[in-house]
Amino acid sequence: MGTQKGFFAITAFKPYLVSGVLLALAACAPTMTAGGPASAGGETGASSAPSSSEQPQPVTAGWVYPLFAPDEKARKEACDAGYAAGLAGSQEPNPGVAEVVGASGNISFQSSWGSTYNVCKSYARQTRAKPEVLPLEDVLLYVTDPRLKSYSNPAERFDGISMVFYDAQGKELARLPATLGRWEQGLLSIPITNNQPWVYDGYFILSTNYNQLPGNLKAAITRAESFDVLVSRGRGVERYTFNKAKFPNLR
């Protein structure tokens, strides 16, 4: 699944971070039709209604979609696996985590499946009953940088971070830019728990949730077969690529 040592070194001393806060929205797989490229800036342009002989074809979900929006069955599988791992005291890697190593720092991606796994693993460790309701959990990005200190402001160190989604031909479908101010909230931003942003010595965390994204981004993620995380921190734009070829077993 790829190199994951860095992520688990992080979570080893911050176990409560990955459990997150259970969200109130349940997962809902959308019914979508093919459309043009989307961006975070707005919806795709309107088009005339198709004639009866030109009905739009349903979009087949790509590799990225279940990473952001696992269905109810997949969420239950994630919870069962995480809960069993917690009961056993397992230190095995989370199947929903992948890491790409870079010269200036690493990027770890945790899927919604992986977040559910960690929530249920935490329940088991706390000797709590397995949760009965499994809402769609957040996707997380762990961004490492040795210059970061606890509760510092990443906006002072980074010029920008974006997730870029591509179709099977490598065509860009959409961009999801991050909000880097530690007190600012956006579609992809730093979580705040108990009035404390998730910024720590050497890394910070960004989160997003499929259910909270606008329709154009949902459509792009549904079609996407790969994504990049672009990072600009004064050393040129770094590209961290996630795709099925690199991470065939990522859940």
Side-chain angles (χ1 to χ4, degrees):
M1 190 175 72
T3 305
Q4 298 177 326
K5 181 178 179 182
F7 173 84
F8 289 98
I10 289 170
T11 56
F13 62 87
K14 296 287 186 185
Y16 62 91
L17 291 179
V18 292
S19 61
V21 179
L22 289 177
L23 301 172
L25 297 176
C28 177
T31 301
M32 300 183 184
T33 57
S39 69
E43 299 287 337
T44 55
S47 60
S48 58
S51 67
S52 58
S53 61
E54 298 176 345
Q55 290 300 319
Q57 298 300 311
V59 171
T60 300
W63 178 75
V64 175
Y65 176 70
L67 303 179
F68 278 73
D71 60 23
E72 185 175 354
K73 179 182 177 182
R75 297 199 301 275
K76 184 179 184 304
E77 291 173 351
C79 187
D80 289 346
Y83 199 81
L87 290 175
S90 173
Q91 300 301 315
E92 289 298 310
N94 183 333
V97 173
E99 183 176 66
V100 177
V101 177
S104 300
N106 305 339
I107 299 291
S108 291
F109 170 83
Q110 181 171 294
S111 68
S112 179
W113 192 102
S115 294
T116 298
Y117 177 99
N118 276 334
V119 167
C120 294
K121 187 175 184 179
S122 178
Y123 269 57
R125 286 176 169 173
Q126 296 168 22
T127 68
R128 299 169 63 184
K130 190 186 303 182
E132 295 182 2
V133 178
L134 298 172
L136 191 67
E137 293 290 346
D138 287 2
V139 165
L140 303 180
L141 290 178
Y142 288 71
V143 183
T144 66
D145 192 305
R147 302 172 300 170
L148 290 168
K149 302 298 180 183
S150 290
Y151 309 119
S152 59
N153 190 358
E156 297 176 356
R157 296 288 188 183
F158 292 79
D159 297 315
I161 296 176
S162 291
M163 299 186 75
V164 187
F165 302 96
Y166 305 95
D167 67 12
Q169 288 70 47
K171 179 182 178 181
E172 181 176 326
L173 298 172
R175 293 196 178 207
L176 175 55
T179 301
L180 296 176
R182 60 182 175 178
W183 298 113
E184 300 176 50
Q185 294 297 287
L187 296 178
L188 176 64
S189 58
I190 300 168
I192 299 172
T193 304
N194 297 327
N195 205 35
Q196 294 181 337
W198 290 12
V199 183
Y200 306 96
D201 289 344
Y203 74 103
F204 70 98
I205 299 170
L206 293 165
S207 72
T208 189
N209 190 287
Y210 181 86
N211 279 341
Q212 297 173 359
L213 296 175
N216 62 312
L217 275 169
K218 286 183 177 179
I221 289 170
T222 299
R223 294 172 55 194
E225 293 290 350
S226 65
F227 66 91
D228 288 342
V229 179
L230 302 182
V231 179
S232 178
R233 54 181 129 198
R235 304 166 186 172
V237 177
E238 307 156 29
R239 183 181 301 271
Y240 299 80
T241 298
F242 295 82
N243 56 39
K244 186 175 181 179
K246 291 179 69 172
F247 303 106
N249 299 317
L250 181 62
R251 297 299 307 269

